[in-house]
Amino acid sequence: MNGLVKGGLALGGLVFGLGALRRALNPTPRYASWEKPPYSEFEKKVLVVGGGFGGYTVATDLCKMTRHRDDVGVLVIARENFFTFWPMVPGIVSSDIDARNVAQPLRRALILAGASFRRATVTGIDAERKVAKAEGGLEFPYDQLIISLGGQPNFFGIPGVEEHSMTMRGVEDAERVRNRIIERFEEVSLIRDDVPDSKLTFVVIGGGATGVEVASEIHSLVHENLAPDYPNIDPYRVRIYLIEALPNILPELDPALRRAARTRLVNERIEVLTNAMAEEITENCVKLKGGRQIPTENVIWTAGNRPNQTIHDLGLPYDERTGLKVDLTLRVEGYDDIWAVGDCAAVQDVHQEEGRIVPPTAQAAIQEGHVAARNVMKTLDGEDDLEEFEYKPLGQLVELGSDFAVNEVMGVRFSGAIAAIFWRLAYLVRLNSPQSKVRVAADWIVGIFLRPAVTQIRGSTKQ
Ligand SMILES: Cc1cc2nc3c(=O)[nH]c(=O)nc-3n(C[C@H](O)[C@H](O)[C@H](O)COP(=O)(O)OP(=O)(O)OC[C@H]3O[C@@H](n4cnc5c(N)ncnc54)[C@H](O)[C@@H]3O)c2cc1C
């Protein structure tokens, strides 16, 4: 009898625990959908353009600050209805992480927070009428407007880059790179004669964090996941190059960490070429300054970033290279009601000399988002003691495969397997969606025991 009672209590506890977990993972929205007033009916309308690191931070902060007010409405418009968690994008290449978990549902997260969301591509602004214009003749009114349109690849006018290389500016790009590698393996497994070197040579251009991570992910895909499925292809025939124009890869990191990263890459037989400038890319080769040519039909471009092209069409002051001109309060120069954050804004780094702007990173976009949200609230409430933005870099984490990373966190430097675990935990916590957190953790745990599936589902790998 005693055992029966204990069993019943244990079962009851388990059911209660599972119910609490389910509620925690599926919180209720701030407004039930039928109670939520339309955005146009709020007395003070805040429009956020872009739902990435910067825009999402501004919107959710504003929702928290206005939780008990019914006069401020927040609307986010973005080209995609998902939030790309960029640090995990390279992991899609090796199938370490499922693409759907890196693309987190933006609409659901914003509605839970209390904002509204519309998927639309912004094309311009009418600052006099206070409306943002979007494709399809749509118009969205605002009292305060925050622009966070992100960046795009910079090809520096190098011939052939745009036509013959793949970029890493999104989940689809990472899937395209993965599919290209699988497609090459399928092609080569059908060739009976000599296989041209260019088929199995993969060249990553750009030795910053993204380039280093992508080169390592290609190595993992080839050696850990593809090699056992293609027994007629020697994985050591695959050549992976990492090309950097500067004297060092990961130039922003401490020299000891740079060396650790380079040693890891070299041990994985990734050929690291520094002081190597790509001059031209053709269908089947990369031409370097100085005359060297690398035969390849697979080039991945990670070497440059610039503000989103759309900022040219907004009629606001901007610099082609650095982005929308803002003052230290993040207000666009000359406008009281327009603000800009993230990769599309040229924000002065107050700890550097005049003209040095804050780097285009997620942590900068998030920090800017917090300050912009507070300043927008103050402006809506008629306060004029606006906060000035001061960038506080927290460090950098770079993962090279699932068991190695080089990290610099608030001045502490470490590398190796512990650093890789730290990388994973740090970014797992940062994922916004509880579902994505659980699914990514599950991907990683399952990946310890089982090789991920390496099927190519999408047909084309062409740009
Ligand atoms: C592969 C990769 C890996 C990275 N890894 C890291 C990292 O590990 N750590 C780090 O700190 N930084 C990293 N970064 C940089 C970081 O992702 C960016 O600095 C950060 O995302 C900038 O935030 P944002 O809000 O400005 O832009 P994004 O996060 O890119 O968001 C831009 C938003 O604008 C929307 N948008 C764009 N054009 C339009 C339009 N015309 N109309 C409507 N909406 C539009 C998009 O849909 C998106 O919602 C990485 C970048 C890349 C490319």
Side-chain angles (χ1 to χ4, degrees):
M1 185 62 188
N2 213 359
L4 208 63
V5 171
K6 278 188 188 160
L9 283 174
L11 190 64
L14 184 68
V15 170
F16 181 78
L18 288 175
L21 182 65
R22 192 171 191 280
R23 276 194 299 281
L25 292 176
N26 298 282
T28 41
R30 178 176 163 197
Y31 294 98
S33 47
W34 56 91
E35 285 175 352
K36 166 97 179 151
Y39 168 74
S40 56
E41 283 181 14
F42 280 98
E43 186 194 328
K44 296 170 181 173
K45 293 180 253 312
V46 182
L47 179 63
V48 182
V49 173
F53 278 95
Y56 181 82
T57 306
V58 176
T60 49
D61 277 14
L62 283 167
C63 287
K64 277 184 211 147
M65 287 187 260
T66 56
R67 183 158 281 274
H68 302 294
R69 291 173 58 160
D70 54 13
D71 57 335
V72 181
V74 180
L75 171 67
V76 177
I77 47 179
R79 208 174 36 191
E80 288 100 20
N81 63 5
F82 57 82
F83 174 112
T84 305
F85 193 77
W86 292 101
M88 289 185 182
V89 167
I92 297 171
V93 173
S94 67
S95 306
D96 188 31
I97 303 173
D98 191 300
R100 275 172 307 168
N101 299 330
V102 177
Q104 303 178 86
L106 186 55
R107 180 178 277 279
R108 181 182 293 181
L110 288 169
I111 284 174
L112 282 173
S116 303
F117 175 80
R118 297 286 179 274
R119 186 174 71 183
T121 300
V122 170
T123 51
I125 289 169
D126 186 334
E128 274 190 19
R129 287 174 50 232
K130 291 188 165 222
V131 289
K133 298 183 202 165
E135 276 176 5
L138 297 171
E139 290 193 338
F140 298 91
Y142 64 80
D143 293 304
Q144 295 291 322
L145 171 68
I146 299 106
I147 303 169
S148 185
L149 291 171
Q152 66 182 57
N154 191 348
F155 302 125
F156 304 109
I158 299 173
V161 179
E162 210 164 342
E163 300 87 317
H164 303 298
S165 71
M166 293 174 282
T167 53
M168 280 298 286
R169 275 311 307 198
V171 169
E172 283 181 6
D173 282 356
E175 286 203 313
R176 189 176 293 127
V177 171
R178 188 179 82 112
N179 284 347
R180 168 72 65 87
I181 300 166
I182 299 171
E183 186 146 300
R184 290 292 178 242
F185 269 66
E186 293 293 357
E187 257 181 68
V188 167
S189 68
L190 294 172
I191 300 178
R192 293 191 179 276
D193 309 324
D194 274 354
V195 176
D197 284 343
S198 59
K199 293 265 178 233
L200 288 179
T201 300
F202 298 91
V203 178
V204 180
I205 302 182
T210 302
V212 167
E213 291 185 341
V214 169
S216 295
E217 294 296 332
I218 296 175
H219 176 273
S220 303
L221 175 65
V222 168
H223 288 264
E224 290 164 27
N225 301 337
L226 292 180
D229 293 355
Y230 295 84
N232 59 337
I233 300 175
D234 175 4
Y236 290 102
R237 273 222 56 190
V238 174
R239 300 185 77 175
I240 305 169
Y241 285 88
L242 178 66
I243 292 182
E244 169 56 52
L246 296 174
N248 293 300
I249 58 166
L250 300 171
E252 60 288 356
L253 273 191
D254 167 74
L257 288 182
R258 266 189 236 146
R259 279 195 298 279
R262 189 164 183 151
T263 306
R264 162 78 175 192
L265 294 170
V266 171
N267 288 345
E268 287 182 330
R269 298 193 186 202
I270 295 170
E271 297 176 51
V272 182
L273 307 182
T274 42
N275 288 315
M277 175 85 86
E279 264 193 341
E280 188 183 349
I281 298 175
T282 69
E283 216 175 319
N284 52 18
C285 106
V286 171
K287 296 181 182 171
L288 298 179
K289 195 170 175 189
R292 181 168 177 185
Q293 297 196 3
I294 303 172
T296 179
E297 293 173 44
N298 318 294
V299 180
I300 300 113
W301 180 262
T302 70
N305 185 59
R306 69 186 177 105
N308 188 319
Q309 181 80 14
T310 309
I311 64 166
H312 296 199
D313 306 323
L314 302 182
L316 302 174
Y318 73 92
D319 176 289
E320 175 82 34
R321 207 172 44 82
T322 53
L324 291 168
K325 293 187 179 173
V326 292
D327 63 21
L328 281 178
T329 67
L330 306 175
R331 222 174 210 162
V332 174
E333 282 178 11
Y335 294 83
D336 287 342
D337 49 6
I338 306 182
W339 314 74
V341 298
D343 288 7
C344 73
V347 181
Q348 166 71 36
D349 185 341
V350 288
H351 299 294
Q352 307 280 342
E353 73 267 21
E354 181 69 29
R356 275 283 289 276
I357 63 151
V358 168
T361 62
Q363 50 175 309
I366 292 169
Q367 290 178 26
E368 288 163 17
H370 291 312
V371 172
R374 288 195 288 271
N375 283 344
V376 166
M377 268 321 290
K378 285 187 174 176
T379 308
L380 284 175
D381 290 340
E383 297 169 25
D384 53 11
D385 57 333
L386 299 187
E387 204 177 310
E388 296 201 332
F389 179 73
E390 185 189 343
Y391 179 49
K392 298 188 184 90
L394 302 171
Q396 201 177 352
L397 315 178
V398 184
E399 197 192 37
L400 295 91
S402 57
D403 59 350
F404 193 91
V406 289
N407 298 342
E408 190 166 351
V409 184
M410 294 196 251
V412 181
R413 301 174 189 115
F414 53 117
S415 62
I418 299 285
I421 295 170
F422 183 91
W423 189 101
R424 292 190 162 201
L425 291 176
Y427 282 129
L428 201 59
V429 172
R430 291 236 153 240
L431 279 168
N432 302 317
S433 142
Q435 286 86 350
S436 299
K437 277 190 216 277
V438 173
R439 293 205 167 105
V440 168
D443 277 352
W444 283 337
I445 292 166
V446 171
I448 298 171
F449 303 102
L450 294 171
R451 280 191 293 116
V454 280
T455 46
Q456 179 194 352
I457 295 176
R458 302 228 166 118
S460 170
T461 60
K462 303 232 159 41
Q463 288 269 59

mmCIF file of all heavy atoms in Angstrom, residues 338-365:
data_model
loop_
_atom_site.group_PDB
_atom_site.id
_atom_site.type_symbol
_atom_site.label_atom_id
_atom_site.label_comp_id
_atom_site.label_asym_id
_atom_site.label_seq_id
_atom_site.Cartn_x
_atom_site.Cartn_y
_atom_site.Cartn_z
ATOM 1 N N ILE A 338 13.883 59.476 -36.143
ATOM 2 C CA ILE A 338 14.417 58.313 -36.858
ATOM 3 C C ILE A 338 15.751 57.903 -36.218
ATOM 4 O O ILE A 338 16.624 58.741 -35.986
ATOM 5 C CB ILE A 338 14.606 58.602 -38.370
ATOM 6 C CG1 ILE A 338 13.303 59.120 -38.978
ATOM 7 C CG2 ILE A 338 15.061 57.338 -39.101
ATOM 8 C CD1 ILE A 338 13.352 59.405 -40.468
ATOM 9 N N TRP A 339 15.865 56.619 -35.956
ATOM 10 C CA TRP A 339 17.041 56.073 -35.274
ATOM 11 C C TRP A 339 17.588 54.915 -36.106
ATOM 12 O O TRP A 339 16.857 54.310 -36.890
ATOM 13 C CB TRP A 339 16.642 55.528 -33.889
ATOM 14 C CG TRP A 339 15.760 56.465 -33.104
ATOM 15 C CD1 TRP A 339 14.438 56.723 -33.337
ATOM 16 C CD2 TRP A 339 16.131 57.282 -31.993
ATOM 17 N NE1 TRP A 339 13.955 57.643 -32.442
ATOM 18 C CE2 TRP A 339 14.962 58.006 -31.597
ATOM 19 C CE3 TRP A 339 17.313 57.457 -31.280
ATOM 20 C CZ2 TRP A 339 14.972 58.886 -30.529
ATOM 21 C CZ3 TRP A 339 17.311 58.338 -30.220
ATOM 22 C CH2 TRP A 339 16.164 59.040 -29.849
ATOM 23 N N ALA A 340 18.875 54.582 -35.929
ATOM 24 C CA ALA A 340 19.406 53.427 -36.669
ATOM 25 C C ALA A 340 20.376 52.667 -35.771
ATOM 26 O O ALA A 340 21.123 53.269 -34.982
ATOM 27 C CB ALA A 340 20.108 53.880 -37.941
ATOM 28 N N VAL A 341 20.345 51.345 -35.866
ATOM 29 C CA VAL A 341 21.237 50.481 -35.064
ATOM 30 C C VAL A 341 21.741 49.322 -35.934
ATOM 31 O O VAL A 341 21.197 49.048 -37.006
ATOM 32 C CB VAL A 341 20.506 49.893 -33.823
ATOM 33 C CG1 VAL A 341 20.036 50.983 -32.880
ATOM 34 C CG2 VAL A 341 19.325 49.016 -34.222
ATOM 35 N N GLY A 342 22.775 48.639 -35.449
ATOM 36 C CA GLY A 342 23.264 47.419 -36.096
ATOM 37 C C GLY A 342 24.175 47.695 -37.276
ATOM 38 O O GLY A 342 24.752 48.782 -37.414
ATOM 39 N N ASP A 343 24.289 46.697 -38.158
ATOM 40 C CA ASP A 343 25.258 46.753 -39.258
ATOM 41 C C ASP A 343 24.990 47.888 -40.248
ATOM 42 O O ASP A 343 25.879 48.251 -41.015
ATOM 43 C CB ASP A 343 25.228 45.436 -40.051
ATOM 44 C CG ASP A 343 25.857 44.276 -39.291
ATOM 45 O OD1 ASP A 343 26.198 44.459 -38.110
ATOM 46 O OD2 ASP A 343 26.008 43.198 -39.887
ATOM 47 N N CYS A 344 23.757 48.431 -40.274
ATOM 48 C CA CYS A 344 23.471 49.476 -41.267
ATOM 49 C C CYS A 344 23.716 50.868 -40.696
ATOM 50 O O CYS A 344 23.480 51.863 -41.370
ATOM 51 C CB CYS A 344 22.038 49.349 -41.791
ATOM 52 S SG CYS A 344 20.789 49.865 -40.610
ATOM 53 N N ALA A 345 24.194 50.956 -39.430
ATOM 54 C CA ALA A 345 24.406 52.268 -38.806
ATOM 55 C C ALA A 345 25.890 52.506 -38.567
ATOM 56 O O ALA A 345 26.606 51.599 -38.142
ATOM 57 C CB ALA A 345 23.652 52.329 -37.476
ATOM 58 N N ALA A 346 26.342 53.728 -38.837
ATOM 59 C CA ALA A 346 27.747 54.080 -38.585
ATOM 60 C C ALA A 346 27.814 54.740 -37.212
ATOM 61 O O ALA A 346 27.612 55.947 -37.085
ATOM 62 C CB ALA A 346 28.229 55.030 -39.670
ATOM 63 N N VAL A 347 28.079 53.928 -36.196
ATOM 64 C CA VAL A 347 28.073 54.434 -34.814
ATOM 65 C C VAL A 347 29.526 54.642 -34.367
ATOM 66 O O VAL A 347 30.330 53.705 -34.407
ATOM 67 C CB VAL A 347 27.388 53.413 -33.866
ATOM 68 C CG1 VAL A 347 27.349 53.947 -32.447
ATOM 69 C CG2 VAL A 347 26.002 53.061 -34.358
ATOM 70 N N GLN A 348 29.837 55.849 -33.945
ATOM 71 C CA GLN A 348 31.201 56.147 -33.489
ATOM 72 C C GLN A 348 31.535 55.328 -32.235
ATOM 73 O O GLN A 348 30.738 55.266 -31.295
ATOM 74 C CB GLN A 348 31.306 57.652 -33.186
ATOM 75 C CG GLN A 348 32.521 58.084 -32.397
ATOM 76 C CD GLN A 348 33.830 58.012 -33.189
ATOM 77 O OE1 GLN A 348 33.857 58.278 -34.380
ATOM 78 N NE2 GLN A 348 34.913 57.628 -32.525
ATOM 79 N N ASP A 349 32.715 54.698 -32.236
ATOM 80 C CA ASP A 349 33.202 54.027 -31.026
ATOM 81 C C ASP A 349 33.914 55.086 -30.186
ATOM 82 O O ASP A 349 34.989 55.567 -30.566
ATOM 83 C CB ASP A 349 34.158 52.890 -31.420
ATOM 84 C CG ASP A 349 34.591 52.070 -30.209
ATOM 85 O OD1 ASP A 349 34.460 52.572 -29.076
ATOM 86 O OD2 ASP A 349 35.061 50.945 -30.400
ATOM 87 N N VAL A 350 33.316 55.447 -29.026
ATOM 88 C CA VAL A 350 33.853 56.580 -28.251
ATOM 89 C C VAL A 350 35.232 56.279 -27.658
ATOM 90 O O VAL A 350 35.931 57.188 -27.236
ATOM 91 C CB VAL A 350 32.888 57.020 -27.113
ATOM 92 C CG1 VAL A 350 31.686 57.709 -27.675
ATOM 93 C CG2 VAL A 350 32.488 55.856 -26.219
ATOM 94 N N HIS A 351 35.618 55.006 -27.640
ATOM 95 C CA HIS A 351 36.932 54.676 -27.086
ATOM 96 C C HIS A 351 38.021 54.679 -28.155
ATOM 97 O O HIS A 351 39.180 54.360 -27.883
ATOM 98 C CB HIS A 351 36.885 53.305 -26.400
ATOM 99 C CG HIS A 351 35.898 53.290 -25.265
ATOM 100 N ND1 HIS A 351 36.070 54.045 -24.143
ATOM 101 C CD2 HIS A 351 34.723 52.640 -25.108
ATOM 102 C CE1 HIS A 351 35.042 53.871 -23.321
ATOM 103 N NE2 HIS A 351 34.208 53.018 -23.893
ATOM 104 N N GLN A 352 37.664 54.951 -29.401
ATOM 105 C CA GLN A 352 38.633 54.990 -30.497
ATOM 106 C C GLN A 352 38.693 56.409 -31.044
ATOM 107 O O GLN A 352 37.869 57.251 -30.686
ATOM 108 C CB GLN A 352 38.194 54.033 -31.620
ATOM 109 C CG GLN A 352 37.902 52.620 -31.170
ATOM 110 C CD GLN A 352 39.154 51.793 -30.979
ATOM 111 O OE1 GLN A 352 40.218 52.150 -31.483
ATOM 112 N NE2 GLN A 352 39.046 50.706 -30.242
ATOM 113 N N GLU A 353 39.652 56.611 -31.966
ATOM 114 C CA GLU A 353 39.775 57.960 -32.533
ATOM 115 C C GLU A 353 38.543 58.286 -33.383
ATOM 116 O O GLU A 353 37.832 57.381 -33.824
ATOM 117 C CB GLU A 353 41.074 58.118 -33.355
ATOM 118 C CG GLU A 353 41.101 57.427 -34.695
ATOM 119 C CD GLU A 353 41.701 56.022 -34.661
ATOM 120 O OE1 GLU A 353 41.751 55.394 -33.569
ATOM 121 O OE2 GLU A 353 42.098 55.541 -35.730
ATOM 122 N N GLU A 354 38.320 59.584 -33.592
ATOM 123 C CA GLU A 354 37.171 60.091 -34.360
ATOM 124 C C GLU A 354 37.084 59.367 -35.713
ATOM 125 O O GLU A 354 38.086 59.202 -36.400
ATOM 126 C CB GLU A 354 37.380 61.611 -34.549
ATOM 127 C CG GLU A 354 36.299 62.346 -35.285
ATOM 128 C CD GLU A 354 34.999 62.427 -34.502
ATOM 129 O OE1 GLU A 354 35.036 62.421 -33.268
ATOM 130 O OE2 GLU A 354 33.932 62.477 -35.187
ATOM 131 N N GLY A 355 35.911 58.898 -36.046
ATOM 132 C CA GLY A 355 35.724 58.250 -37.356
ATOM 133 C C GLY A 355 35.792 56.731 -37.285
ATOM 134 O O GLY A 355 35.375 56.063 -38.223
ATOM 135 N N ARG A 356 36.311 56.190 -36.173
ATOM 136 C CA ARG A 356 36.351 54.714 -36.048
ATOM 137 C C ARG A 356 34.992 54.233 -35.550
ATOM 138 O O ARG A 356 34.551 54.601 -34.459
ATOM 139 C CB ARG A 356 37.423 54.282 -35.038
ATOM 140 C CG ARG A 356 38.808 54.162 -35.627
ATOM 141 C CD ARG A 356 39.019 52.902 -36.455
ATOM 142 N NE ARG A 356 39.080 51.687 -35.673
ATOM 143 C CZ ARG A 356 40.166 51.238 -35.077
ATOM 144 N NH1 ARG A 356 41.293 51.917 -35.144
ATOM 145 N NH2 ARG A 356 40.144 50.111 -34.404
ATOM 146 N N ILE A 357 34.331 53.415 -36.349
ATOM 147 C CA ILE A 357 32.976 53.044 -35.950
ATOM 148 C C ILE A 357 32.968 51.677 -35.255
ATOM 149 O O ILE A 357 33.909 50.887 -35.368
ATOM 150 C CB ILE A 357 31.995 53.069 -37.146
ATOM 151 C CG1 ILE A 357 32.402 52.029 -38.192
ATOM 152 C CG2 ILE A 357 31.862 54.441 -37.739
ATOM 153 C CD1 ILE A 357 31.214 51.528 -38.950
ATOM 154 N N VAL A 358 31.889 51.442 -34.554
ATOM 155 C CA VAL A 358 31.685 50.188 -33.818
ATOM 156 C C VAL A 358 31.630 49.042 -34.840
ATOM 157 O O VAL A 358 31.028 49.200 -35.901
ATOM 158 C CB VAL A 358 30.353 50.313 -33.032
ATOM 159 C CG1 VAL A 358 29.907 48.998 -32.471
ATOM 160 C CG2 VAL A 358 30.486 51.369 -31.953
ATOM 161 N N PRO A 359 32.276 47.898 -34.569
ATOM 162 C CA PRO A 359 32.304 46.822 -35.567
ATOM 163 C C PRO A 359 30.923 46.203 -35.806
ATOM 164 O O PRO A 359 30.071 46.220 -34.912
ATOM 165 C CB PRO A 359 33.254 45.780 -34.950
ATOM 166 C CG PRO A 359 33.271 46.079 -33.502
ATOM 167 C CD PRO A 359 33.006 47.549 -33.346
ATOM 168 N N PRO A 360 30.707 45.645 -37.013
ATOM 169 C CA PRO A 360 29.401 45.057 -37.325
ATOM 170 C C PRO A 360 29.258 43.664 -36.710
ATOM 171 O O PRO A 360 29.482 42.653 -37.364
ATOM 172 C CB PRO A 360 29.399 44.989 -38.857
ATOM 173 C CG PRO A 360 30.841 44.897 -39.232
ATOM 174 C CD PRO A 360 31.633 45.572 -38.156
ATOM 175 N N THR A 361 28.901 43.623 -35.432
ATOM 176 C CA THR A 361 28.747 42.326 -34.756
ATOM 177 C C THR A 361 27.374 42.276 -34.072
ATOM 178 O O THR A 361 26.754 43.317 -33.817
ATOM 179 C CB THR A 361 29.815 42.114 -33.666
ATOM 180 O OG1 THR A 361 29.648 43.133 -32.684
ATOM 181 C CG2 THR A 361 31.220 42.163 -34.219
ATOM 182 N N ALA A 362 26.979 41.051 -33.734
ATOM 183 C CA ALA A 362 25.690 40.872 -33.071
ATOM 184 C C ALA A 362 25.695 41.563 -31.703
ATOM 185 O O ALA A 362 24.713 42.199 -31.318
ATOM 186 C CB ALA A 362 25.399 39.382 -32.925
ATOM 187 N N GLN A 363 26.822 41.435 -30.973
ATOM 188 C CA GLN A 363 26.835 42.029 -29.631
ATOM 189 C C GLN A 363 26.700 43.553 -29.703
ATOM 190 O O GLN A 363 26.033 44.158 -28.859
ATOM 191 C CB GLN A 363 28.072 41.616 -28.847
ATOM 192 C CG GLN A 363 29.382 41.794 -29.570
ATOM 193 C CD GLN A 363 30.571 41.475 -28.684
ATOM 194 O OE1 GLN A 363 30.680 41.977 -27.584
ATOM 195 N NE2 GLN A 363 31.477 40.644 -29.172
ATOM 196 N N ALA A 364 27.305 44.174 -30.743
ATOM 197 C CA ALA A 364 27.164 45.631 -30.887
ATOM 198 C C ALA A 364 25.711 45.977 -31.216
ATOM 199 O O ALA A 364 25.136 46.907 -30.638
ATOM 200 C CB ALA A 364 28.093 46.139 -31.983
ATOM 201 N N ALA A 365 25.095 45.197 -32.137
ATOM 202 C CA ALA A 365 23.703 45.480 -32.525
ATOM 203 C C ALA A 365 22.779 45.369 -31.308
ATOM 204 O O ALA A 365 21.864 46.183 -31.131
ATOM 205 C CB ALA A 365 23.268 44.520 -33.627
#
